[in-house]
Amino acid sequence: MVTSESLFLFLCLPVALLLYYLMPARYRTARNVVLFLEGLVIYAYAEPVGALILLAAIAAGYAFAKTIARYDRQGHYHAAGRILFYAVCLYLAVFLLLCYLPALLQRTGALSEDSMPVRSIFYPLGMAFWLLQILSFLTEIANGAELKGGFLNFALSVSLFPKLVRGPVMIYKDISDQVADRKESLSLFGEGSSRFIAGLGKAVILGGTAGSIWKSVLSHLKAGVPAAAAWIGLVCLSFFVYFAVSGFMDMAEGLGMMFGFQFPASFRYPFISKSVSEFTKRWDMTVTDFFRSSFVAPKGSGTRSSRLRGVFFAALFFGIWQKAGLNALIFGIYAGAVLVFEKTVFYRVLRILPAAIRRLITFLAVSVGWLILFSPDLKSAVSYFAAMFGGGGAFVGGMSSYYFRWGILPVLIMILASTPLLKRWKNRILSNGGRQGRIVLGVGYALVFVLAVSFVLFSPGMTFPYPGR
Amino acid sequence: MGLAFAALLGIVFLLFFLLKDRTYSVEEHRSLAQVSEIPFQNVFGGELSPKTQAYVNDQFPFRNALRRIRTRTAQILGEREYGGIYKGSDNWLIEAFEEPRDGLLAEQTASLNSFAGQFSRLNQYFILVPSASEILKPKLPKGAYTGDEEAYLKAWEEGLSEKISYIDISKTLRNHRDEYIYYRTEPCWTSMGAYFAFREAAPLMGLSVDSDRYEAMPVANGFRGVLSTSTGYAPESSDTITLYFNQDATFTQVMKDEESGEKSVSLYDASALETEDKLDVFFGGAKPQVTISTTSLSNRKLLVLEDRYGSAFVPFLMTGFSEITVVNPSLYEGDIASLVRREGITDILYLYQSGNLARDESFAKTYQKLGEEK
């Protein structure tokens, strides 16, 4: 159930909206049931076994939640904590098993490389997110959050299809309150539509183009990539990850609004960050917040070194959560090391550098991280990194002019799109343009949508960076 | 805004169901996914979603217009390659040469040499036609990467047994690279390219061709080959198919399609020119075996083992042999050794396109099978 696919966009979504709004607004439960079932059906169509795993995870989660809530109410905080611990262990074990089992079976020859249905059995789409969501709910309930509503509320809070597969990860109180009571409106629906279209455009037009360039450079690694081309590829990789991931988040937010939900923002222009630390506070914020709050004591408590340790482990687990494999582990270690380095030694240097240089350094540090995470294997990551410094046999020439010509215009557009400028222009048009302004914007969105759909249908082989997969 | 979006979704949704499903796309030269291909009963097979998705994509309303929009926009943004095919200068579409996987070349040469060993008393020739990405390099976008085809050709030359004579046509093709020797939209040579190659190869095959006169006649315009239909690039661009006819009025030939038994006086099937697959004009398409008898006074008989794109080359060989048997090994089921004996073959020509051969995983096995006694 990838929200950028035409099957979802033009068959599932219209039907989902129609069935939902057929239920009168006052029957909140009916609407919630419809929403829950729709999500299940859409998900099960693509991941039949995954849907069963999801239901099992939700059921177990609800059982855990009730137990923890009961202990909490009775004041047995240690017992509540213990149940939470069991839950974390169980979910972590299931997660790691499902992540690594196919690779293990392939290694021992029990599974052939290409058995698609089996891969799907072992790793349902979005599992990284819904497991994380369940865990975060249980953590909050153990910390005193009130378990609201019955099974339906819990189940829908986890599996609400706009956010099921790619987030955001929500605060339990926030989502369960909205599940219980929310106000759908035409203006919210309209805002959701524009958010959704913007997200789709970011993901498939910008992300897709950047991704194609990155993949093309990567494919020539063995033949020898000149440094200039490697740098262009790296920049495109970074933009690919940003626009794909944030685009999907925007789509999730937009879809949520169409059903009356308001999700928290997940991205706040991460590329204007002046440090990697700041970057983590602007990137996929609901997820990074979860890892940060799980490992790092809040400011004011705990020693500095324990907080640094916490930051390292938060980054490490964020990495492991991204993907199965050695790359993800190294990425986690790299991210943790960079953050600790920045907070201890490097901040003195950073402080005196001009903003533009700081942004550049941050961009580079982050891009190298993505290189580690998204290279097909560690060997490629290393040779790619070497190519960036001439390891591919040349610095300029050869492929460089080809990739420059391909990438220069998209990259300029992407730089613009990763700053708040576009949003400011849009707001200016809305506030000053009156009715004419709104029509212009509407036409603009329509054009973006049509263009995005054309990219959806015809871009060669697009795979998006979903955590876990 | 919201209403407009909902309306747009609704309209597309309705159109999807109201418009009749198409079975074939002329623009893309392929058949389109049908509802019947969706395995609704096999929920756990893993194919349900991808097949449904393919169906929705293929039957999407205004598909051709949307494809043009994407292609145009992507090109404005700077894209010059799609699916391994580059858009070169003068709207020339060129498929990048892909180096073969490690070990493939060795497998292929070993298999071919072993096959050729059976026929060491015959004259054997090997022509590997370089691809446009090698010969038309100046037309590629600047800096566009292609595999090292020169090394590949060289490796074949060195890897062939001494019983087979390697004929190098790269130089002559390069000399004529500014002429229309490759198609713009199809990854193979034109008849003109085949003609220049022939003039280069003829003396090396012991053929005297100085007295031959050919007239080149364009027989079809507007041919859009696979490079264009699969990328959507350069839709305005098209190819002209030209056939070469021997001017000697006293020279004739008869071609027999061994599979169907049909005979014809011409090597060319004009009905193919009315269809999308215009290159089927040569021999009527890919055939397992075709036998050509000519009024040539030569007592040499040739066996051509080719991959179907060599068909443009065969017409020029006719004056040099009284009989030419053209076999496509990947389609042929018979026994070559007895064919050679039966027909009294004196020469064998292996004629392949380098781009295809570098990807051909079945070549080695095919020649192994071909060489077995049946």
Side-chain angles (χ1 to χ4, degrees):
Chain A
M1 181 217 91
V2 181
T3 53
S4 66
E5 286 176 0
S6 60
L7 170 61
F8 173 80
L9 278 176
F10 293 102
L11 286 190
C12 300
L13 185 57
V15 172
L17 286 169
L18 186 68
L19 289 177
Y20 182 81
Y21 282 104
L22 272 179
M23 296 287 151
R26 60 181 179 278
Y27 297 134
R28 176 59 50 203
T29 312
R31 280 197 172 179
N32 284 349
V33 169
V34 167
L35 206 47
F36 176 65
L37 291 176
E38 282 172 350
L40 218 52
V41 166
I42 295 174
Y43 190 69
Y45 198 82
E47 304 271 359
V49 178
L52 294 174
I53 300 179
L54 171 65
L55 281 175
I58 292 177
Y62 187 64
F64 280 123
K66 288 210 80 162
T67 318
I68 293 175
R70 183 160 36 94
Y71 282 145
D72 219 66
R73 256 198 321 274
Q74 296 167 350
H76 298 144
Y77 300 123
H78 281 304
R82 232 176 330 125
I83 303 293
L84 177 63
F85 178 70
Y86 293 152
V88 170
C89 289
L90 176 70
Y91 283 117
L92 191 61
V94 168
F95 177 70
L96 289 175
L97 188 73
L98 294 181
C99 251
Y100 287 95
L101 194 60
L104 260 157
L105 286 181
Q106 272 170 22
R107 196 84 39 109
T108 63
L111 242 193
S112 71
E113 278 277 321
D114 266 333
S115 21
M116 200 299 224
V118 190
R119 263 217 312 274
S120 169
I121 290 176
F122 283 123
Y123 200 91
L125 185 68
M127 186 172 76
F129 271 99
W130 36 267
L131 282 188
L132 201 69
Q133 180 74 98
I134 296 177
L135 276 182
S136 88
F137 285 170
L138 295 179
T139 312
E140 293 172 59
I141 291 170
N143 283 333
E146 186 197 324
L147 180 61
K148 200 173 180 117
F151 178 75
L152 179 63
N153 187 302
F154 186 83
L156 190 54
S157 297
V158 173
S159 71
L160 186 65
F161 77 80
K163 74 169 184 63
L164 173 66
V165 154
R166 231 271 148 228
V169 174
M170 291 190 68
I171 305 285
Y172 177 69
K173 178 161 173 15
D174 187 4
I175 182 72
S176 61
D177 281 349
Q178 290 195 53
V179 168
D181 186 24
R182 61 190 173 277
K183 190 103 174 48
E184 299 93 339
S185 72
L186 195 56
S187 67
L188 193 60
F189 188 92
E191 205 186 318
S193 309
S194 37
R195 184 68 64 87
F196 181 84
I197 292 174
L200 184 67
K202 277 163 82 174
V204 304
I205 303 176
L206 296 181
T209 304
S212 302
I213 298 176
W214 149 251
K215 282 192 192 93
S216 181
V217 175
L218 186 65
S219 71
H220 301 319
L221 199 55
K222 218 176 83 162
V225 174
W231 281 92
I232 294 173
L234 187 78
V235 167
C236 286
L237 170 63
S238 221
F239 278 126
F240 166 56
V241 179
Y242 169 61
F243 284 110
V245 173
S246 70
F248 275 92
M249 300 306 307
D250 285 354
M251 282 194 259
E253 282 174 49
L255 284 173
M257 284 192 243
M258 290 183 208
F259 292 97
F261 290 91
Q262 304 206 53
F263 296 159
S266 289
F267 284 84
R268 251 187 335 133
Y269 306 104
F271 285 136
I272 66 174
S273 301
K274 298 200 273 292
S275 69
V276 178
S277 209
E278 184 185 347
F279 186 89
T280 64
K281 299 196 178 82
R282 289 172 175 274
W283 178 275
D284 214 351
M285 298 185 294
T286 62
V287 173
T288 55
D289 280 353
F290 173 80
F291 284 105
R292 195 181 300 112
S293 60
S294 302
F295 287 95
V296 185
K299 260 203 173 81
S301 63
T303 64
R304 180 171 153 78
S305 61
S306 79
R307 266 206 305 286
L308 283 176
R309 236 194 343 260
V311 164
F312 182 81
F313 279 105
L316 182 65
F317 276 88
F318 176 72
I320 296 175
W321 175 80
Q322 289 289 328
K323 231 183 191 189
L326 196 53
N327 283 49
L329 181 64
I330 304 290
F331 165 75
I333 296 175
Y334 168 82
V338 166
L339 282 168
V340 170
F341 176 66
E342 203 185 65
K343 285 178 190 289
T344 51
V345 173
F346 200 58
Y347 87 98
R348 263 177 287 236
V349 176
L350 273 183
R351 262 197 340 205
I352 56 175
L353 291 173
I357 304 286
R358 290 181 61 167
R359 292 197 170 109
L360 203 58
I361 295 179
T362 305
F363 183 82
L364 292 177
V366 165
S367 305
V368 169
W370 298 138
L371 179 65
I372 299 171
L373 187 60
F374 290 108
S375 294
D377 50 52
L378 276 180
K379 215 175 89 159
S380 315
V382 170
S383 26
Y384 194 98
F385 191 73
M388 283 162 57
F389 299 99
F395 285 90
V396 286
M399 289 179 221
S400 314
S401 48
Y402 178 73
Y403 286 108
F404 182 78
R405 227 163 274 203
W406 188 0
I408 181 69
L409 194 51
V411 164
L412 288 175
I413 296 175
M414 288 186 258
I415 291 176
L416 179 65
S418 55
T419 63
L421 277 172
L422 286 181
K423 185 166 211 174
R424 280 194 210 138
W425 287 344
K426 173 185 156 199
N427 290 338
R428 198 171 303 164
I429 295 178
L430 274 179
S431 52
N432 298 341
R435 188 140 176 272
Q436 252 184 338
R438 269 181 301 159
I439 293 180
V440 165
L441 267 184
V443 170
Y445 274 102
L447 290 176
V448 169
F449 187 58
V450 170
L451 189 59
V453 171
S454 79
F455 271 72
V456 162
L457 293 178
F458 293 105
S459 285
M462 287 232 265
T463 45
F464 291 98
Y466 273 79
R469 269 234 168 132
Chain B
M1 179 73 222
L3 275 179
F5 182 68
L8 189 56
L9 286 186
I11 291 173
V12 175
F13 179 78
L14 284 175
L15 275 180
F16 187 84
F17 287 102
L18 292 178
L19 294 176
K20 206 164 96 82
D21 283 354
R22 291 159 63 213
T23 51
Y24 182 82
S25 162
V26 170
E27 277 245 353
E28 293 171 75
H29 196 32
R30 63 178 184 88
S31 40
L32 298 172
Q34 303 296 308
V35 187
S36 49
E37 294 170 23
I38 305 176
F40 286 115
Q41 68 284 10
N42 188 8
V43 178
F44 288 93
E47 289 275 284
L48 184 57
S49 187
K51 285 251 153 71
T52 313
Q53 181 58 67
Y55 168 70
V56 173
N57 276 355
D58 274 4
Q59 301 297 341
F60 202 82
F62 307 118
R63 186 182 159 76
N64 290 334
L66 286 168
R67 192 193 202 212
R68 281 195 287 271
I69 290 173
R70 190 219 81 93
T71 309
R72 235 332 102 85
T73 311
Q75 288 182 349
I76 292 173
L77 287 178
E79 181 188 275
R80 287 292 174 275
E81 73 177 72
Y82 189 92
I85 298 167
Y86 289 113
K87 179 171 187 287
S89 53
D90 298 332
N91 275 337
W92 223 284
L93 300 178
I94 300 173
E95 189 175 41
F97 176 76
E98 250 181 69
E99 286 173 22
R101 63 154 173 87
D102 285 330
L104 184 66
L105 182 74
E107 285 168 30
Q108 292 175 330
T109 47
S111 182
L112 187 66
N113 287 340
S114 144
F115 174 83
Q118 288 181 39
F119 308 106
S120 43
R121 20 169 206 97
L122 306 180
N123 301 320
Q124 301 191 69
Y125 311 98
F126 181 84
I127 298 180
L128 193 54
V129 184
S131 70
S133 81
E134 172 64 24
I135 301 296
L136 301 184
K137 260 206 168 67
K139 286 196 167 34
L140 287 170
K142 184 153 177 282
Y145 170 81
T146 58
D148 192 350
E149 193 168 348
E150 215 179 311
Y152 181 70
L153 297 171
K154 193 111 233 156
W156 263 102
E157 187 175 358
E158 283 161 10
L160 277 181
S161 86
E162 337 72 67
K163 302 190 181 64
I164 313 178
S165 195
Y166 180 87
I167 299 179
D168 180 9
I169 54 170
S170 325
K171 218 179 322 206
T172 182
L173 287 177
R174 240 177 245 126
N175 288 341
H176 293 280
R177 65 169 28 144
D178 292 323
E179 299 175 63
Y180 190 42
I181 57 173
Y182 288 92
Y183 289 110
R184 282 195 157 88
T185 65
E186 183 82 24
C188 74
W189 55 7
T190 61
S191 302
M192 185 190 277
Y195 179 66
F196 288 132
F198 175 75
R199 306 263 334 168
E200 174 75 22
L204 298 170
M205 290 173 74
L207 303 170
S208 77
V209 296
D210 297 322
S211 56
D212 290 349
R213 293 284 174 268
Y214 290 95
E215 185 181 336
M217 282 186 32
V219 296
N221 284 327
F223 169 53
R224 287 189 64 222
V226 70
L227 298 178
S228 178
T229 55
S230 66
T231 59
Y233 280 174
E236 341 68 60
S237 195
S238 66
D239 281 303
T240 300
I241 298 182
T242 300
L243 300 179
Y244 282 67
F245 293 94
N246 193 334
Q247 287 292 278
D248 182 355
T250 64
F251 186 89
T252 52
Q253 64 284 325
V254 172
M255 176 177 87
K256 179 171 178 222
D257 177 354
E258 296 296 335
E259 198 183 29
S260 65
E262 278 177 42
K263 288 194 184 169
S264 95
V265 167
S266 170
L267 298 191
Y268 306 123
D269 177 7
S271 67
L273 298 174
E274 310 292 320
T275 69
E276 301 287 312
D277 299 302
K278 298 197 197 306
L279 284 182
D280 281 355
V281 66
F282 295 101
F283 298 177
K287 298 267 154 70
Q289 184 193 347
V290 155
T291 313
I292 305 168
S293 323
T294 75
T295 54
S296 164
L297 298 174
S298 162
N299 51 14
R300 291 168 73 181
K301 300 193 179 168
L302 178 67
L303 170 66
V304 180
L305 297 165
E306 59 139 8
D307 63 3
R308 95 152 283 201
Y309 289 112
S311 311
F313 191 79
V314 171
F316 305 114
L317 292 165
M318 290 198 294
T319 54
F321 302 90
S322 56
E323 195 177 288
I324 304 178
T325 306
V326 183
V327 165
N328 189 332
S330 51
L331 300 174
Y332 184 72
E333 303 279 318
D335 175 1
I336 292 285
S338 47
L339 173 75
V340 166
R341 264 197 315 271
R342 211 172 46 235
E343 303 290 329
I345 303 281
T346 58
D347 300 71
I348 302 183
L349 169 64
Y350 306 96
L351 182 56
Y352 281 88
Q353 310 281 303
S354 112
N356 289 343
L357 194 56
R359 286 194 287 257
D360 194 345
E361 292 287 342
S362 55
F363 181 91
K365 224 173 301 201
T366 302
Y367 272 89
Q368 199 184 3
K369 219 179 71 173
L370 220 53
E372 283 165 12
E373 291 286 329
K374 285 192 188 63

